[in-house]
Amino acid sequence: MMRYIKLVNFEINRFSKIYLSLLLITLVSQFAGVIIVTKSLLKDARDIMKEERLSEAAYITSYGSLDFNHIANTLWFVGPIALSAVALIFYIFLIWYRDWFGKNTFIYRLLMLPTSRLSIYLSKATAIFLMVLGLIAFQIIILPMQNALFNSNVPEALLSEMSISTITIANPILSLIIPSTFTQFLISYGIGLMIMSILFTSIMFERSFRIKGIVMGLIYCGISAVVFLAPFFVMEIGNFHFYPNELFGLLLALGIILTGLSVWLGAWLLKKRVTV
């Protein structure tokens, strides 16, 4: 267990500089967006009120009040989230291929460690998942601060205050990464874990069989997608209907099966087919 924890810590440390950069970019960009966009919104509002000779109440009647959605839907806000998501998706591949193609072919030393290769596999998956949760936790921490900053800069007469839960529900990206219920959390991050395990297994196919492995990995991804989406195909083609609880149960069961199968198959390939 201690070796597994050390491996997780090792993997996180290897990505720490890029990870901290993502956090800093998110912090600076989103807070800068709050300030810049708020000033722009207020300037536009004042210009309209001046040109059309509107009172604040008349402006709100014609154009609506100002709320945090004006910030949350800008590139300043969603850009860093998208960048972080792309970086972590890219790291799913980098976390393996860096060991093979980096200096001194580090994978040979890693596979020769006196520990189970399953621990190596799981440590990489755990490191990525923890970094995802870390980014989400960071967003949850700074979001109330950004909302408070926006509220303090907008005149009360033009302001429509929003609670944090309302902000996350109203914004599609925030509602995806910050689920409002435990069920949504299971769906969002369960699917994320499943996709990561499937991609890990596809990488193991490629590392085990090279060119043939690429084809095998793509086929495995395709089959996994078809299996997971099978309930939707049944409803569409077979004119059959699942109740929400039934559909959730089926997707949860299929997700657990596919994740477990992918972890087992990926670990087996790493142990039996990937050689040093």
Side-chain angles (χ1 to χ4, degrees):
M1 186 64 180
M2 287 303 298
R3 288 175 179 172
Y4 162 73
I5 295 174
K6 288 180 179 179
L7 284 171
V8 173
N9 183 63
F10 172 73
E11 293 293 349
I12 292 175
N13 287 336
R14 296 175 79 188
F15 192 63
S16 60
K17 291 182 180 179
I18 299 177
Y19 188 68
L20 291 174
S21 297
L22 292 174
L23 294 177
L24 182 60
I25 290 171
T26 301
L27 181 70
V28 173
S29 177
Q30 290 187 349
F31 273 97
V34 172
I35 295 171
I36 294 171
V37 175
T38 301
K39 287 183 177 180
S40 176
L41 289 171
L42 290 176
K43 181 179 181 300
D44 291 342
R46 293 190 185 101
D47 289 344
I48 291 173
M49 285 188 286
K50 183 177 181 180
E51 291 174 4
E52 300 183 12
R53 297 181 180 179
L54 298 175
S55 64
E56 291 176 335
Y59 174 85
I60 291 176
T61 301
S62 300
Y63 296 95
S65 56
L66 303 181
D67 58 48
F68 196 81
N69 271 334
H70 290 86
I71 306 295
N73 292 321
T74 63
L75 187 61
W76 288 98
F77 194 89
V78 300
I81 298 175
L83 176 64
S84 298
V86 170
L88 288 173
I89 291 172
F90 176 72
Y91 194 61
I92 290 176
F93 297 91
L94 182 63
I95 201 171
W96 286 106
Y97 286 111
R98 177 179 56 184
D99 292 339
W100 262 282
F101 300 114
K103 292 182 179 180
N104 304 320
T105 318
F106 184 75
I107 190 65
Y108 296 143
R109 295 168 56 191
L110 194 60
L111 295 178
M112 291 295 288
L113 290 174
T115 186
S116 168
R117 291 191 180 183
L118 177 61
S119 296
I120 297 172
Y121 182 99
L122 292 178
S123 67
K124 292 180 181 292
T126 303
I128 291 175
F129 189 63
L130 288 176
M131 286 186 281
V132 170
L133 293 181
L135 285 169
I136 303 308
F138 185 70
Q139 184 66 73
I140 292 174
I141 291 171
I142 64 175
L143 184 57
M145 302 177 191
Q146 295 161 350
N147 189 35
L149 178 61
F150 174 79
N151 292 342
S152 65
N153 283 313
V154 177
E156 187 175 349
L158 297 177
L159 176 65
S160 175
E161 291 193 35
M162 299 178 69
S163 66
I164 299 302
S165 60
T166 303
I167 293 171
T168 56
I169 292 172
N171 186 276
I173 294 179
L174 287 177
S175 64
L176 178 64
I177 66 173
I178 308 176
S180 58
T181 66
F182 183 67
T183 299
Q184 291 177 336
F185 175 84
L186 287 178
I187 293 174
S188 296
Y189 291 97
I191 291 174
L193 275 174
M194 179 188 69
I195 292 173
M196 180 175 65
S197 64
I198 291 171
L199 291 177
F200 269 23
T201 300
S202 300
I203 292 170
M204 290 302 99
F205 271 121
E206 189 278 327
R207 287 291 83 197
S208 299
F209 304 101
R210 298 304 190 267
I211 300 299
K212 292 181 181 179
I214 297 176
V215 177
M216 295 169 69
L218 291 174
I219 292 174
Y220 182 75
C221 288
I223 292 175
S224 298
V226 170
V227 170
F228 184 71
L229 298 175
F232 297 102
F233 296 145
V234 170
M235 288 193 294
E236 184 68 24
I237 299 174
N239 195 25
F240 192 81
H241 177 73
F242 291 111
Y243 290 105
N245 288 340
E246 293 174 334
L247 182 61
F248 172 73
L250 282 172
L251 293 177
L252 181 61
L254 289 172
I256 291 173
I257 292 171
L258 286 172
T259 302
L261 176 63
S262 297
V263 171
W264 174 81
L265 183 55
W268 182 84
L269 289 169
L270 184 62
K271 180 178 179 181
K272 300 294 185 180
R273 300 295 307 185
V274 178
T275 62
V276 296

